[in-house]
Each structure stands twice: as structure tokens, then as C-alpha cells.
Amino acid sequence: MTTLTFTHITKSYPKRDTPVLDDFLLDVQSGELVSLLGPSGIGKSTLLKLIAGIERPDAGDIRFDGESVLSTAPNQREAVFMFQKAYLFPFLNVGENIAFGLKVKGFSTKERLIKVAEMLDLIGLPGIEKRPPNELSGGEQQRVALARSLVIRPKVLLLDEPFNSLDRPVRLSLQEAVRNIQRELGITTLLVTHDLDEAMAMSDRMALMMGGKVAAIDKPQRLFQKPPCVETAKFVGVKLFIEGVASSGTLVSAEWGKLKIEDEQKVGRSIFAIRPEHIRIQKEKCENALAGVVKNCVYRGTQIEMKIALGERVLRAHIPAKNEIMPAEEPVQVILPKEHLFAVN
Ligand code: ADP
């Protein structure tokens, strides 16, 4: 069990005006799975490379259990990668692939056979020791790659978009398998992904990276329902932001009029937000109702995605799939329930 700490990490690359990571701070608890999200090029993979020792930081420290690893050689760091491709050795069979790291560490043939069999059980592919990797499906190859990484019981597991090249059913089953195995072995893990669903399904905490730092970090449910800042809110699918002046339970906005709010803490100029699935569409007027006209409805099976015109503005609402699909130009009331309006920074 290992804690992972980044203290004030700065990392620049030549030919870039600004550092990729700039005074970056993060604490990962022992056995925790933290996902790193953010736009492409924000420095997610760089962070993994720094942990593994493939890159060096310009400043700051990386610590496993409080001990700096910066002077430890990459092959001694006990941080293993799983990539989008399995990169199995084609000239070795599955068992030999998994046993490779054990052989380097000096385990006997008998010990290697036992550990390989244990790992194959763990990844749900018992008895395939003798198969060549090229006879396995993409998902099976990834499971073997995971077994090869974990058989040496590393301190830290680094997952760099490992499910990207797989089709959806295989991806979902592998996500579940990796998460279960990671939990069972208690391996501290960082997952780089651009897939919000994947991050939410797998993580103890999700970290959104922006401008070389962690912009927000929290449990998936909290980050999704109550993102702390506008950038994070946009990243998790919030589309409506209302700027106004808050005072004792009311938000007065030049654009949207007067709205009731529950956040009594917020006073003065503020931005409030609401998730598209918390917006209600109905015929009757009630508190926080705005008159609009249906522009477009798309049925998605799990929800109906609506575009509603309110004068010049267009607002998106996701309503439960059991509702009727409304025709275009139908007049409706758009309700922004006060319990779902939250303040963002
Ligand atoms: P992400 O994983 O978030 O997509 P990366 O960590 O791969 O981002 O890259 C962050 C930025 O650093 C990008 O602009 C990328 O082009 C640049 N970069 C990454 N590796 C190198 C390198 N070895 N040399 C120069 N620039 C690099």
C-alpha cells in the first residue's frame, strides 16, 4: 500500500512558452484510484511519465509513502504502465509474458508458474499460459498486459487510456475487471482518460486538470452534481450559467429575470448553474418558470434532449425518456428548480 504525493511540480518542454505543469499539487491515498481528466495536451500523460521516471520535473518532488523517488532509476520505481495497446512480446507465450518481470527479479520456475496461474485466475482467463498473444482478442491481450504489470506487485499502477481501442462491451467489462483487481490488490492507481463516463465508473476521485494544475478534485458524484467552478461544470456537461446579483434567496439576472435560489451563503455578484437533466419542461407555470418554445427534440433511449428557445436564447434540457416527444414550436414552461441551482466560482 503506497501513498503518492506531488509537491509543487513544474515541468516545461523546449519550444513551449508556458510550463505544462505549473506548481502542480496532488495527494493520492493508499489504494485509491484517481482519474486525471482534462483537454488534450493539458499534461495528463506527462504526469504519468514523471512518476515512472521517463521524464524529470524541473522543480518539485514526487514521493511514494513520503519518500522522494526522483533519484530512483525508472526500473526501480515499482510504477507500472498499462497503455492503449497491450505491447505483449509476440515471441513469448502468455505465461512467459506474464512471468517476464518475475524472471528479471529472480523468482524460481516453480514460483513463476504459481504466480502466473494466480494472475490468470485473477484476470478471468485461467489456463491460457501456452497460448500465443496473437491468438487473443484485443480485450484478452489487455487483460494479459494487466496481469504482466501486476504480477510483480508494483506500488503504483499508471493507466494511460488503456481501454480506448476496444469496442464498448469489451471496454465496459475490462473497466470493471481492472477496477475489481485494483481494489482487491489495493494498488494506488492513476487513470488518464478523456471519457467522463469511464472516469465516473472507475474512480474514487476525479481530478480535472487545467492550466498546469488541478482545477477541481472530488468524488465523481459530487464533481458531477456540484462542480465548483465554471470550467469544471462545462467539462461535466453543464450548459446553462446564470450571472446575477444574489441576496437572501433570490438571484436577479439581467438576462433571466428574478429566480429563487437556496444558497443563502451567496450574496452579491454570482454565477449560478444547473444541470440539463434538472431542468423541467411542463405546461403549467410555477416558481422559477420561464416561457419558451420547443425547437428540437432528440430521443436517446435513456433521455430526451430538447432545445428550447427563450426569445433569442436557446437552452438545452434533458428530460426523462418516458415523456412524450413534443413538436417544434410548442409553447412550454421551462422550470429551473431552486434546489438544483448551485453557485460556481
Ligand atoms: P495530455 O496527456 O493531457 O494530452 P501530454 O502530457 O501528452 O498531454 O502533453 C502536454 C503538452 O506537452 C502537449 O502540448 C505536448 O505537445 C507537449 N509534450 C509532451 N511530450 C513532449 C516532449 N517529449 N517534447 C516536447 N513537448 C512535449
Side-chain angles (χ1 to χ4, degrees):
M1 300 289 262
T2 307
T3 59
L4 173 61
T5 313
F6 300 89
T7 56
H8 307 289
I9 290 287
T10 302
K11 172 69 186 169
S12 303
Y13 287 115
K15 298 189 193 140
R16 268 186 65 106
D17 299 341
T18 50
V20 177
L21 300 172
D22 187 6
D23 200 20
F24 181 92
L25 300 168
L26 178 64
D27 272 311
V28 185
Q29 302 303 311
S30 182
E32 194 180 25
L33 190 152
V34 172
S35 53
L36 301 169
L37 289 147
S40 181
I42 205 76
K44 304 181 292 294
S45 297
T46 296
L47 199 67
L48 299 194
K49 287 181 194 159
L50 291 172
I51 300 168
I54 300 166
E55 293 283 353
R56 278 193 69 80
D58 308 329
D61 203 0
I62 301 171
R63 298 183 188 135
F64 290 4
D65 287 327
E67 297 271 323
S68 177
V69 292
L70 291 186
S71 50
T72 309
N75 60 353
Q76 302 290 318
R77 283 205 190 174
E78 299 181 70
V80 293
F81 260 109
M82 188 173 165
F83 296 104
Q84 193 169 332
K85 276 190 70 178
Y87 297 114
L88 298 175
F89 303 120
F91 47 89
L92 299 180
N93 67 29
V94 166
E96 290 162 345
N97 262 283
I98 298 174
F100 191 82
L102 295 173
K103 204 170 174 183
V104 173
K105 282 184 170 249
F107 283 83
S108 70
T109 308
K110 192 175 163 206
E111 285 170 321
R112 295 203 302 263
L113 287 174
I114 293 169
K115 284 186 185 291
V116 167
E118 277 172 8
M119 285 314 293
L120 285 175
D121 275 349
L122 195 64
I123 60 167
L125 296 172
I128 67 159
E129 283 91 338
K130 297 276 180 274
R131 300 265 301 273
N134 64 5
E135 280 185 11
L136 305 180
S137 69
E140 288 169 338
Q141 288 190 22
Q142 280 294 47
R143 282 176 192 250
V144 173
L146 179 71
R148 185 178 60 179
S149 300
L150 297 184
V151 74
I152 55 164
R153 292 290 190 269
K155 289 186 170 163
V156 177
L157 175 62
L158 306 170
L159 302 172
D160 197 353
E161 311 227 31
F163 314 111
N164 264 18
S165 57
L166 306 167
D167 16 320
R168 193 174 151 75
V170 182
R171 197 165 71 223
L172 295 185
S173 99
L174 195 61
Q175 283 171 5
E176 196 180 330
V178 170
R179 180 58 162 143
N180 288 341
I181 293 167
Q182 180 269 337
R183 270 208 186 107
E184 194 172 327
L185 301 182
I187 293 191
T188 309
T189 302
L190 282 182
L191 165 68
V192 165
T193 178
H194 63 269
D195 181 343
L196 184 61
D197 285 346
E198 181 170 295
M200 289 197 294
M202 292 190 70
S203 316
D204 292 306
R205 287 187 299 158
M206 307 197 302
L208 181 70
M209 287 173 64
M210 295 272 175
K213 294 183 172 61
V214 172
I217 179 162
D218 212 330
K219 294 194 170 107
Q221 234 171 338
R222 272 201 62 80
L223 212 63
F224 191 77
Q225 298 293 347
K226 289 248 163 76
C229 58
V230 172
E231 291 86 1
T232 311
K234 283 183 181 165
F235 199 83
V236 297
V238 175
K239 305 253 178 339
L240 181 59
F241 297 91
I242 302 170
E243 212 175 329
V245 177
S247 63
S248 59
T250 307
L251 182 72
V252 181
S253 148
E255 208 182 354
W256 303 89
K258 253 189 194 176
L259 294 168
K260 288 281 168 214
I261 49 172
E262 278 191 341
D263 192 344
E264 302 286 338
Q265 310 293 324
K266 275 281 163 190
V267 177
R269 208 119 217 109
S270 316
I271 302 173
F272 275 72
I274 185 167
R275 292 205 59 82
E277 57 274 21
H278 289 151
I279 297 173
R280 286 206 322 266
I281 307 296
Q282 60 188 49
K283 290 282 170 196
E284 309 77 37
K285 273 192 164 175
C286 68
E287 187 177 74
N288 284 0
L290 306 163
V293 173
V294 175
K295 280 290 151 205
N296 189 22
C297 283
V298 179
Y299 178 68
R300 297 266 182 214
T302 50
Q303 61 187 21
I304 299 167
E305 296 177 7
M306 299 183 76
K307 280 189 191 160
I308 319 277
L310 292 99
E312 294 295 300
R313 291 151 305 175
V314 175
L315 173 150
R316 288 161 197 268
H318 298 171
I319 65 168
K322 64 178 192 302
N323 286 282
E324 293 286 313
I325 306 270
M326 292 187 194
E329 302 309 323
E330 180 97 344
V332 287
Q333 296 292 321
V334 176
I335 320 297
L336 309 179
K338 68 176 175 193
E339 65 275 19
H340 290 303
L341 281 167
F342 60 91
V344 283
N345 292 319

